[in-house]
């Protein structure tokens, strides 16, 4: 008799434990279905500075209504940022944060305003003055290299190297025409032509000497 009673008590205990497990499992499943959730396309995404990104584009899956705090993400400066999402379903509401990092890996774009550079033949002229014809797509420093000869006007190749404040480097080359600020004064006697002042590079192409 005692053996049968113990066996029944053990059976009732096992049934009770199974019932409790089923209740917890069903309740948990119900909460999972009822509570709002969100899944992102990726965690801690890396974004390029100064580009436009929308928070809604990073939502991969949800079971409720999603409202980002700011849909257009801030990318004006490098660093780590976050945007908050509010997910609502029926009477339930939850908040999620998407943490993202902004980096700048785009080299600056080099542009040339014009290819003609003027110099004063009576003053010192350096390649630094050629920087005035160079513009960058963003703030940075520029250095130039050229085969320029300060004694002569003419065609020269200028190589510009630019570096922005994020360490991105770009290079570009252009052909510059160096001209004197003052036009040459030409003295002509009969068939003889003489350049008295200035050294405009193309005069020798159009004038003949007798």
């Amino acid at each position: 008799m005692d053996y049968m009673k113990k066996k029944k008590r053990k059976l009732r205990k096992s049934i009770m434990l199974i019932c409790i497990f089923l209740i917890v499992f069903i309740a948990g499943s119900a909460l999972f279905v009822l509570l709002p959730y969100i899944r992102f396309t990726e965690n801690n995404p890396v974004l390029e500075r100064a580009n436009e990104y929308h928070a809604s584009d990073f939502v991969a899956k949800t079971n409720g209504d999603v409202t980002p705090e700011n849909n257009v993400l801030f990318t004006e400066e490098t660093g780590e940022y976050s945007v908050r999402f509010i997910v609502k379903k029926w009477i339930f509401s939850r908040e999620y944060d998407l943490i993202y990092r902004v980096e700048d890996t785009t080299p600056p774009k080099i542009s040339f305003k014009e290819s003609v550079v003027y110099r004063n033949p009576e003053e010192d002229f350096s390649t630094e003055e050629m920087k005035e014809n160079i513009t960058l797509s963003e703030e940075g420093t520029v250095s130039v290299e050229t085969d320029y000869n300060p004694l002569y006007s003419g065609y020269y190749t200028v190589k510009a190297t630019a570096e922005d404040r994020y360490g991105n480097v770009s290079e570009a080359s252009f052909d510059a025409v160096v001209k004197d600020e003052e036009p040459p004064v030409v003295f002509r006697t009969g068939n003889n032509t003489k350049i008295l002042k200035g050294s405009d590079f193309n005069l020798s192409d159009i004038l003949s000497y007798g």
Side-chain angles (χ1 to χ4, degrees), residues 93-109:
S93 176
R94 298 179 72 182
E95 294 181 350
Y96 292 83
D97 287 333
L98 173 66
I99 299 175
Y100 64 96
R101 182 166 186 79
V102 178
E103 296 182 354
D104 191 308
T105 59
T106 304
K109 183 179 180 182

Side-chain angles (χ1 to χ4, degrees), residues 119-121 123-127 147-153 156 178 180 199:
R119 73 179 182 108
N120 187 333
E123 296 179 0
D124 291 336
F125 180 86
S126 67
T127 56
D147 54 355
Y148 170 69
N149 186 331
L151 298 178
Y152 300 100
S153 301
Y156 296 96
V178 180
D180 291 341
S199 55

Side-chain angles (χ1 to χ4, degrees), residues 125-140:
F125 180 86
S126 67
T127 56
E128 292 296 309
E129 296 182 53
M130 294 185 179
K131 290 182 180 180
E132 298 178 1
N133 284 341
I134 300 173
T135 58
L136 301 181
S137 57
E138 58 183 85
E139 182 181 351

Side-chain angles (χ1 to χ4, degrees), residues 18-37:
I18 292 173
C19 290
I20 293 173
F21 173 78
L22 289 174
I23 291 171
V24 172
F25 177 78
I26 294 172
S29 300
L31 286 175
F32 180 79
V33 173
L34 293 174
L35 291 179
Y37 72 90

Side-chain angles (χ1 to χ4, degrees), residues 34-36 86-96:
L34 293 174
L35 291 179
I86 300 175
V87 188
K88 294 182 179 180
K89 185 175 182 181
W90 298 323
I91 62 173
F92 301 101
S93 176
R94 298 179 72 182
E95 294 181 350
Y96 292 83

Side-chain angles (χ1 to χ4, degrees), residues 6-51:
K6 288 181 180 179
K7 190 174 182 180
K8 288 181 179 179
R9 283 198 297 268
K10 189 175 181 180
L11 180 60
R12 284 197 298 268
K13 187 177 181 180
S14 298
I15 294 173
M16 187 178 295
L17 289 174
I18 292 173
C19 290
I20 293 173
F21 173 78
L22 289 174
I23 291 171
V24 172
F25 177 78
I26 294 172
S29 300
L31 286 175
F32 180 79
V33 173
L34 293 174
L35 291 179
Y37 72 90
I38 188 174
R39 299 287 182 271
F40 297 119
T41 56
E42 57 180 314
N43 295 321
N44 302 318
V46 178
L47 312 181
E48 185 68 20
R49 189 188 71 84
N51 288 349

Side-chain angles (χ1 to χ4, degrees), residues 186-195 207-210:
V186 179
F187 178 75
R188 169 171 281 182
T189 304
N191 293 327
N192 297 323
T193 301
K194 183 177 181 182
I195 301 175
L207 297 179
S208 60
Y209 297 87

